[in-house]
């Protein structure tokens, strides 16, 4: 799954190759200020007069030319944080019922690295899923009884059962899937897309993030803002987190006593001072700062309009389920994701926490699956009926899967599963992928990939391809080398492409 590291980056005049301008000075000065830019940039408001627009020469997000004709214009990534169990949701192994309680054969485990949670176990007893599976649609996709709504749209979905990753613990695994590296500091997928393609909407960020807590395990692993950070890319490409409640973006409203014309004048004066510094230092982060202030200025109108769902019909809320009326839930965020897609936001990432079922899995995972089943199916149907699914790529995945053996004591009432990076299931639908396809297979224990392996780098390369980007060519020069999302790896998953 690798290619020659000598593959050339973009030509200097290509719209995606602008990264050689990051100076040593910008590295030293940007560290302390880039985080502050994101918060400060939300203190502005817009004046639409022609003179103001003509006088303003800031960098504004814009659409850039992709490498090839894209099938998708945008991505909605439904990230399931904690590691959903493929054995309970997508990958049935009915023959395991006859092996319950037996030790996992060493020929299957092959000395796999263990987490601290199970490294001290003397036994690794096999435990089959308690849940029933059935086939759905003309494609015959096999899904758990925990996902009845998703079963109704199975013919629109491409299931990949042969995913694998390199990390065995949550933080490096989530970081790896979202940035292509286990160590923090690399740009996230959404930032790469913002950098490579720009934005279709100048009044909203190109990259938006929303978080929700699952009911299966509400106090599950935390998530960090660096997961949607821009890394060494200009900071204007970082994700903007939308919060539930009355203030979706912190500090977006003008302070008391400051009206829009006053704020406009303050920003124009500030931009003039920043341009003086830009001319002196050539620091790209100064240009990014100007652009962020201006974007936040426009967001004072666009974000309240986005968050106000009062214009949605009762039928729409019923489609997404009762939780769609509760801000901050996964269902409500799925509805907002559709509204963001309508407005041309390039990359929309929903993080749903609560999938880390080390113990009490039979009682926890039904609630967690219930959180996401109807909203996911509704998002697919809603986009499809609005003509948006053809050019919107939806991706659903966790950071890894779960072990076939039980963590802790296996009893007649309950069991748990540990982290498992060797194989897990994810799915995609929409622009660029084939619906009604199940790709890849695992062995009889759902422990190793037995057919058509897919690595995280392959997945990211394929996502970029659906948006018209050659993952070999989308590069950024930093510290003397050209970096890319897939590093020196990644092959397209060609059989899943439409």
């Amino acid at each position: 799954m690798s290619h020659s590291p000598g593959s050339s980056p973009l030509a200097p005049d290509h719209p995606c190759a602008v990264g050689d301008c990051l100076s040593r000075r910008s590295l030293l000065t940007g560290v302390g200020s880039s985080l502050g830019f994101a918060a400060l940039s939300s203190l502005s408001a817009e004046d639409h007069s022609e003179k103001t627009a003509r006088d303003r020469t800031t960098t504004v997000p814009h659409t850039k030319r992709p490498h090839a004709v894209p099938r998708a214009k945008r991505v909605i990534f439904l990230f399931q944080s904690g590691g959903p169990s493929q054995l309970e949701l997508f990958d049935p192994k009915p023959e395991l019922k006859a092996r319950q309680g037996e030790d996992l054969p060493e020929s299957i485990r092959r000395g796999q690295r263990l987490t601290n949670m199970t490294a001290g176990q003397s036994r690794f007893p096999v435990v089959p899923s308690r849940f029933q599976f059935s086939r759905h649609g003309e494609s015959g996709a096999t899904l758990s009884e925990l996902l009845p709504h998703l079963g109704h749209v199975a013919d629109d979905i491409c299931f990949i059962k042969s995913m694998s990753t390199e990390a065995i613990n949550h933080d490096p695994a989530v970081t790896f899937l979202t940035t292509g590296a286990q160590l923090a500091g690399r740009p996230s997928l959404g930032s790469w897309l913002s950098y490579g393609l720009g934005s279709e909407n100048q009044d909203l960020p190109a990259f938006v993030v929303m978080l929700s807590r699952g009911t299966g395990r509400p106090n599950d692993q935390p998530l960090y803002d660096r997961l949607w950070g821009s890394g060494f890319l200009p900071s204007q490409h970082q994700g903007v987190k939308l919060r539930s409640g009355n203030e979706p973006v912190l500090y977006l409203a003008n302070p008391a006593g400051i009206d829009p014309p006053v704020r406009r004048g303050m920003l124009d004066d500030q931009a003039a001072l920043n341009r003086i510094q830009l001319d002196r230092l050539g620091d790209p982060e100064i240009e990014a700062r100007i652009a962020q202030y201006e974007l936040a200025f426009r967001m004072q109108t666009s974000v309240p309009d986005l968050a106000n769902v009062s214009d949605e019909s009762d039928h729409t809320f019923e489609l997404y389920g009762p939780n769609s009326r509760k801000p901050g839930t996964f269902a409500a965020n799925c509805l907002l994701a559709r509204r963001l897609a309508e407005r041309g936001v390039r990359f929309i990432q929903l993080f749903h926490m609560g999938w880390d079922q080390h113990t009490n899995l039979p009682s926890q995972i039904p609630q967690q699956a219930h959180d996401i089943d109807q909203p996911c199916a509704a998002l697919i149907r809603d986009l499809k009926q609005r003509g948006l699914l053809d050019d919107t790529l939806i991706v659903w995945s966790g950071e890894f899967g779960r072990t076939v053996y039980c963590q802790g004591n296996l009893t007649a009432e309950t069991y748990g599963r540990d982290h498992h990076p060797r194989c897990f299931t994810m799915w995609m639908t929409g622009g660029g992928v084939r619906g009604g396809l199940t790709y890849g297979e695992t062995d009889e224990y759902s422990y190793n990939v037995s057919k058509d392996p897919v690595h995280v780098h392959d997945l990211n390369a394929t996502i970029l391809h659906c948006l018209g980007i050659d993952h070999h060519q989308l590069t950024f020069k930093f510290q003397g080398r050209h970096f890319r999302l897939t590093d020196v790896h990644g092959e397209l998953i060609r059989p899943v492409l439409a």
Side-chain angles (χ1 to χ4, degrees):
M1 293 183 291
S2 63
H3 68 86
S4 171
S7 62
S8 61
L10 296 182
D13 60 346
H14 194 283
C16 293
V18 295
D20 212 358
C21 58
L22 187 62
S23 65
R24 181 174 181 270
R25 183 188 297 274
S26 71
L27 177 64
L28 296 175
T29 60
V31 169
S33 56
S34 60
L35 293 178
F37 296 163
L40 289 172
S41 68
S42 55
L43 294 174
S44 45
E46 172 98 42
D47 173 359
H48 292 288
S49 71
E50 292 184 7
K51 181 179 184 302
T52 304
R54 187 169 57 250
D55 291 345
R56 201 172 303 132
T57 58
T58 58
T59 301
V60 176
H62 59 283
T63 300
K64 301 178 185 178
R65 176 173 54 85
H67 302 124
V69 177
R71 290 295 304 272
K73 294 181 179 179
R74 67 198 69 87
V75 176
I76 300 176
F77 200 125
L78 308 174
F79 194 96
Q80 310 303 307
S81 178
S85 173
Q86 76 281 3
L87 286 151
E88 269 66 37
L89 300 177
F90 303 108
D91 200 12
K93 302 295 178 182
E95 63 275 12
L96 292 181
K97 292 181 179 179
R99 301 174 184 173
Q100 177 160 342
E102 296 180 2
D103 273 340
L104 180 67
E106 182 56 37
S107 60
I108 299 296
R109 191 161 72 86
R110 302 176 190 172
Q112 183 211 358
R113 175 189 172 196
L114 302 174
T115 71
N116 290 334
M117 283 79 75
T118 52
Q121 290 186 192
S122 59
R123 297 189 61 229
F124 299 94
V126 169
V127 54
S129 174
R130 287 192 176 180
F131 303 99
Q132 300 299 312
F133 285 76
S134 57
R135 294 189 177 275
H136 297 268
E138 294 182 5
S139 62
T142 307
L143 290 172
S144 166
E145 62 180 308
L146 300 177
L147 302 170
H149 292 276
L150 210 58
H152 293 311
V153 293
D155 286 341
D156 292 312
I157 297 175
C158 173
F159 296 94
I160 299 179
K161 295 188 175 183
S162 52
M163 283 294 302
S164 67
T165 186
E166 297 176 7
I168 199 171
N169 289 313
H170 292 290
D171 188 71
V174 176
T175 304
F176 186 55
L177 199 137
T178 54
T179 72
Q182 293 188 49
L183 297 179
R186 297 285 185 89
S188 59
L189 172 57
S191 295
W192 278 111
L193 285 175
S194 172
Y195 162 65
L197 292 178
S199 175
E200 291 188 304
N201 187 331
Q202 295 185 358
D203 296 333
L204 287 169
F207 178 15
V208 173
V209 175
M210 291 176 280
L211 277 63
S212 56
R213 287 198 173 273
T215 55
R217 192 176 173 190
N219 298 317
D220 201 1
Q221 300 286 334
L223 295 171
Y224 304 99
D225 285 24
R226 59 175 171 75
L227 295 172
W228 46 92
S230 57
F232 44 69
L233 294 177
S235 58
Q236 69 201 70
H237 299 297
Q238 65 191 339
V240 173
K241 183 167 64 175
L242 290 187
R243 304 161 67 251
S244 60
N246 296 327
E247 199 172 5
V249 178
L250 289 174
Y251 315 117
L252 194 62
N254 286 328
I258 302 296
D259 60 19
V262 171
R263 173 58 71 194
R264 178 68 266 166
M266 293 170 64
L267 288 177
D268 287 341
D269 291 343
Q270 186 175 30
L273 293 173
N274 280 330
R275 288 190 197 96
I276 293 172
Q277 285 293 91
L278 180 62
D279 292 340
R280 285 183 56 215
L281 303 177
D283 185 347
E285 278 302 313
I286 298 175
E287 190 172 22
R289 181 190 309 180
I290 299 171
Q292 286 174 311
Y293 276 123
E294 293 298 331
L295 174 59
F297 192 66
R298 298 186 295 275
M299 284 168 59
Q300 283 193 323
T301 300
S302 62
V303 168
D305 176 68
L306 166 74
N308 181 10
V309 295
S310 61
D311 59 342
E312 298 288 347
S313 67
D314 290 340
H315 171 74
T316 298
F317 287 113
E318 291 168 4
L319 181 66
Y320 283 86
N323 285 336
S324 61
R325 295 184 184 270
K326 301 176 183 177
T329 63
F330 182 78
N333 288 348
C334 281
L335 178 55
L336 286 175
R338 189 267 289 163
R339 293 172 66 86
L340 287 162
E342 286 181 310
R343 288 159 172 78
V345 172
R346 182 71 66 187
F347 192 84
I348 305 149
Q349 189 153 29
L350 276 58
F351 287 88
H352 188 59
M353 296 172 275
W355 288 99
D356 195 22
Q357 277 87 43
H358 287 275
T359 59
N360 302 320
L361 184 147
S363 63
Q364 291 180 355
I365 201 169
Q367 302 173 67
Q368 193 72 15
H370 183 266
D371 290 343
I372 63 98
D373 178 40
Q374 184 173 353
C376 286
L379 181 60
I380 295 171
R381 286 176 163 170
D382 202 5
L383 290 171
K384 192 173 184 179
Q385 70 186 7
R386 295 169 188 269
L388 288 168
L389 187 60
D390 286 344
D391 59 8
T392 302
L393 177 64
I394 302 177
V395 182
W396 188 102
S397 181
E399 66 267 37
F400 44 50
R402 313 302 294 196
T403 57
V404 68
Y405 58 77
C406 178
Q407 177 179 334
N409 294 325
L410 173 58
T411 71
E413 292 76 30
T414 191
Y415 58 88
R417 300 192 190 279
D418 202 359
H419 310 162
H420 189 58
R422 283 194 183 181
C423 68
F424 60 103
T425 300
M426 57 80 60
W427 56 261
M428 297 188 288
T429 184
V433 300
R434 292 174 54 191
L437 174 69
T438 296
Y439 183 77
E441 296 178 7
T442 61
D443 62 21
E444 65 270 32
Y445 290 91
S446 190
Y447 200 85
N448 299 294
V449 173
S450 59
K451 182 180 179 182
D452 299 324
V454 177
H455 189 272
V456 167
H457 290 311
D458 303 332
L459 173 64
N460 284 335
T462 303
I463 292 172
L464 293 179
H465 174 82
C466 289
L467 283 99
I469 295 177
D470 182 342
H471 72 107
H472 299 110
Q473 296 188 57
L474 182 61
T475 67
F476 189 93
K477 190 173 183 181
F478 176 66
Q479 293 183 340
R481 61 163 286 196
H482 289 274
F483 284 85
R484 67 180 209 232
L485 173 64
T486 52
D487 196 39
V488 296
H489 308 285
E491 298 290 342
L492 295 182
I493 319 168
R494 294 192 180 277
V496 310
L497 297 174

